[in-house]
Amino acid sequence: MLKSLIGGLAAALTLSGCQDTASVESAPFEKQFLISGNYQATYARALRTMRICLKPGTVFIGGTGSVTLDGQLYNELGYAEIRQGLAAINPITLSITKLERRGSGTLVSIKAPYGIQSARDRNRLWVEYWMRGGTKCQDGSFENPPAT
Protein backbone atom coordinates (compact mmCIF):
# COMPACT_ATOMS: atom_id res chain seq x y z
CA MET A 1 0.00 0.00 0.00
CA LEU A 2 2.71 2.44 0.95
CA LYS A 3 4.69 2.14 -2.31
CA SER A 4 1.65 2.75 -4.50
CA LEU A 5 0.43 5.48 -2.16
CA ILE A 6 3.74 7.30 -2.45
CA GLY A 7 4.00 6.86 -6.22
CA GLY A 8 0.45 7.94 -6.93
CA LEU A 9 0.65 10.84 -4.56
CA ALA A 10 3.95 12.10 -5.91
CA ALA A 11 2.24 12.50 -9.27
CA ALA A 12 -0.82 14.06 -7.66
CA LEU A 13 1.32 16.51 -5.70
CA THR A 14 3.01 17.57 -8.90
CA LEU A 15 -0.23 17.95 -10.84
CA SER A 16 -2.33 19.68 -8.19
CA GLY A 17 -1.96 22.76 -6.09
CA CYS A 18 -2.64 23.26 -2.43
CA GLN A 19 -5.66 21.67 -0.84
CA ASP A 20 -8.26 24.06 0.54
CA THR A 21 -9.57 22.92 3.95
CA ALA A 22 -13.01 24.41 3.34
CA SER A 23 -13.40 22.51 0.06
CA VAL A 24 -12.35 19.24 1.73
CA GLU A 25 -14.85 19.68 4.54
CA SER A 26 -17.69 20.70 2.23
CA ALA A 27 -17.07 17.97 -0.36
CA PRO A 28 -19.85 15.37 -0.37
CA PHE A 29 -19.23 11.84 0.83
CA GLU A 30 -18.73 9.72 -2.28
CA LYS A 31 -19.64 6.34 -0.81
CA GLN A 32 -22.12 5.39 1.94
CA PHE A 33 -23.18 1.98 3.16
CA LEU A 34 -24.63 0.27 6.22
CA ILE A 35 -22.84 -2.49 8.07
CA SER A 36 -23.92 -4.56 11.04
CA GLY A 37 -22.19 -4.01 14.34
CA ASN A 38 -21.45 -1.20 16.73
CA TYR A 39 -19.77 1.89 15.27
CA GLN A 40 -17.26 2.01 18.14
CA ALA A 41 -16.10 -1.57 17.53
CA THR A 42 -15.96 -0.97 13.76
CA TYR A 43 -13.93 2.20 14.35
CA ALA A 44 -11.44 0.46 16.67
CA ARG A 45 -10.97 -2.54 14.36
CA ALA A 46 -10.64 -0.50 11.16
CA LEU A 47 -8.29 2.05 12.72
CA ARG A 48 -6.05 -0.75 14.03
CA THR A 49 -5.86 -2.33 10.56
CA MET A 50 -5.25 1.01 8.85
CA ARG A 51 -2.39 1.74 11.28
CA ILE A 52 -0.77 -1.59 10.38
CA CYS A 53 -1.23 -1.11 6.64
CA LEU A 54 -0.59 2.62 6.21
CA LYS A 55 2.26 2.92 8.73
CA PRO A 56 1.57 6.49 9.92
CA GLY A 57 4.71 8.51 10.52
CA THR A 58 6.51 6.90 7.59
CA VAL A 59 8.58 9.54 5.82
CA PHE A 60 8.22 9.78 2.02
CA ILE A 61 9.41 11.70 -1.03
CA GLY A 62 12.94 12.49 0.01
CA GLY A 63 12.02 13.27 3.60
CA THR A 64 9.60 16.08 2.73
CA GLY A 65 6.56 14.70 4.54
CA SER A 66 4.97 11.74 6.27
CA VAL A 67 1.84 9.60 6.27
CA THR A 68 -0.80 10.65 8.82
CA LEU A 69 -3.74 8.77 10.29
CA ASP A 70 -5.99 10.37 12.88
CA GLY A 71 -8.98 8.80 14.56
CA GLN A 72 -11.51 10.50 16.82
CA LEU A 73 -14.35 8.84 18.70
CA TYR A 74 -17.26 11.08 19.72
CA ASN A 75 -19.32 8.83 22.01
CA GLU A 76 -21.63 11.65 23.16
CA LEU A 77 -22.49 12.46 19.53
CA GLY A 78 -22.78 8.87 18.30
CA TYR A 79 -20.07 8.88 15.65
CA ALA A 80 -16.37 8.43 14.94
CA GLU A 81 -14.09 9.78 12.25
CA ILE A 82 -10.86 8.57 10.65
CA ARG A 83 -8.71 10.90 8.53
CA GLN A 84 -5.89 9.67 6.33
CA GLY A 85 -3.42 12.15 4.91
CA LEU A 86 0.04 13.41 4.22
CA ALA A 87 1.85 15.86 6.48
CA ALA A 88 4.04 18.13 4.38
CA ILE A 89 4.52 21.84 3.82
CA ASN A 90 0.86 21.87 2.79
CA PRO A 91 -1.01 19.08 4.64
CA ILE A 92 -3.16 16.91 2.38
CA THR A 93 -6.30 14.97 3.34
CA LEU A 94 -6.48 11.71 1.38
CA SER A 95 -9.66 10.34 2.93
CA ILE A 96 -12.25 11.12 5.58
CA THR A 97 -14.37 8.29 6.92
CA LYS A 98 -17.31 8.91 9.23
CA LEU A 99 -18.90 6.05 11.18
CA GLU A 100 -22.33 6.87 12.62
CA ARG A 101 -24.55 4.89 14.97
CA ARG A 102 -27.65 3.64 13.13
CA GLY A 103 -29.64 1.52 15.58
CA SER A 104 -27.54 -1.61 16.14
CA GLY A 105 -25.59 -0.98 12.93
CA THR A 106 -23.20 1.58 11.51
CA LEU A 107 -23.54 4.00 8.61
CA VAL A 108 -20.11 4.40 6.98
CA SER A 109 -19.49 7.48 4.79
CA ILE A 110 -16.23 7.87 2.84
CA LYS A 111 -14.76 10.67 0.78
CA ALA A 112 -11.36 10.78 -0.88
CA PRO A 113 -11.04 14.43 -1.92
CA TYR A 114 -7.48 14.57 -3.25
CA GLY A 115 -5.54 13.31 -6.24
CA ILE A 116 -6.26 11.91 -9.65
CA GLN A 117 -9.54 10.00 -9.97
CA SER A 118 -8.02 6.52 -10.27
CA ALA A 119 -5.97 7.03 -7.07
CA ARG A 120 -9.01 8.43 -5.24
CA ASP A 121 -11.15 5.49 -6.33
CA ARG A 122 -8.54 2.93 -5.24
CA ASN A 123 -8.05 4.66 -1.89
CA ARG A 124 -11.82 4.67 -1.30
CA LEU A 125 -12.02 0.96 -2.19
CA TRP A 126 -9.30 0.10 0.34
CA VAL A 127 -10.95 2.17 3.08
CA GLU A 128 -14.28 0.47 2.37
CA TYR A 129 -12.57 -2.94 2.51
CA TRP A 130 -11.09 -2.15 5.93
CA MET A 131 -14.43 -0.79 7.23
CA ARG A 132 -16.13 -4.03 6.19
CA GLY A 133 -13.60 -6.05 8.22
CA GLY A 134 -10.83 -6.75 5.71
CA THR A 135 -7.35 -7.12 7.15
CA LYS A 136 -5.11 -7.50 4.10
CA CYS A 137 -2.69 -4.69 3.25
CA GLN A 138 -1.91 -3.59 -0.27
CA ASP A 139 1.33 -5.20 -1.43
CA GLY A 140 2.78 -2.14 -3.14
CA SER A 141 1.16 -2.65 -6.52
CA PHE A 142 -1.84 -0.74 -7.78
CA GLU A 143 -4.18 -3.60 -6.94
CA ASN A 144 -7.71 -3.26 -5.68
CA PRO A 145 -8.63 -4.90 -2.36
CA PRO A 146 -10.05 -8.43 -2.26
CA ALA A 147 -13.82 -8.81 -2.18
CA THR A 148 -15.31 -8.86 1.33
Side-chain angles (χ1 to χ4, degrees):
M1 174 78 178
L2 192 56
K3 290 177 189 173
S4 63
L5 177 70
I6 291 169
L9 293 173
L13 287 169
T14 303
L15 297 173
S16 354
C18 298
Q19 189 179 48
D20 178 331
T21 303
S23 65
V24 169
E25 296 300 325
S26 65
F29 285 100
E30 300 150 327
K31 176 79 176 186
Q32 290 189 311
F33 53 93
L34 285 167
I35 56 175
S36 62
N38 177 290
Y39 78 97
Q40 296 142 318
T42 302
Y43 162 81
R45 179 189 36 72
L47 184 59
R48 184 174 41 254
T49 301
M50 291 175 78
R51 282 186 178 137
I52 291 167
C53 292
L54 298 175
K55 299 174 178 56
T58 302
V59 176
F60 68 96
I61 312 176
T64 61
S66 63
V67 176
T68 63
L69 189 64
D70 179 50
Q72 298 293 322
L73 184 59
Y74 302 99
N75 287 315
E76 67 282 356
L77 301 174
Y79 78 95
E81 189 174 81
I82 299 173
R83 290 175 177 257
Q84 172 195 3
L86 300 173
I89 294 169
N90 295 311
I92 298 165
T93 300
L94 297 176
S95 71
I96 299 173
T97 305
K98 187 172 184 178
L99 300 98
E100 299 175 75
R101 177 177 47 228
R102 285 291 191 270
S104 62
T106 299
L107 174 64
V108 178
S109 304
I110 303 169
K111 58 180 159 182
Y114 187 80
I116 58 175
Q117 192 64 47
S118 61
R120 292 172 56 191
D121 291 345
R122 188 175 309 102
N123 187 23
R124 201 169 35 256
L125 286 171
W126 276 99
V127 172
E128 178 179 354
Y129 168 75
W130 292 320
M131 291 300 133
R132 292 184 184 275
T135 58
K136 184 177 188 266
C137 297
Q138 192 174 10
D139 67 5
S141 68
F142 291 99
E143 69 178 330
N144 287 329
T148 52

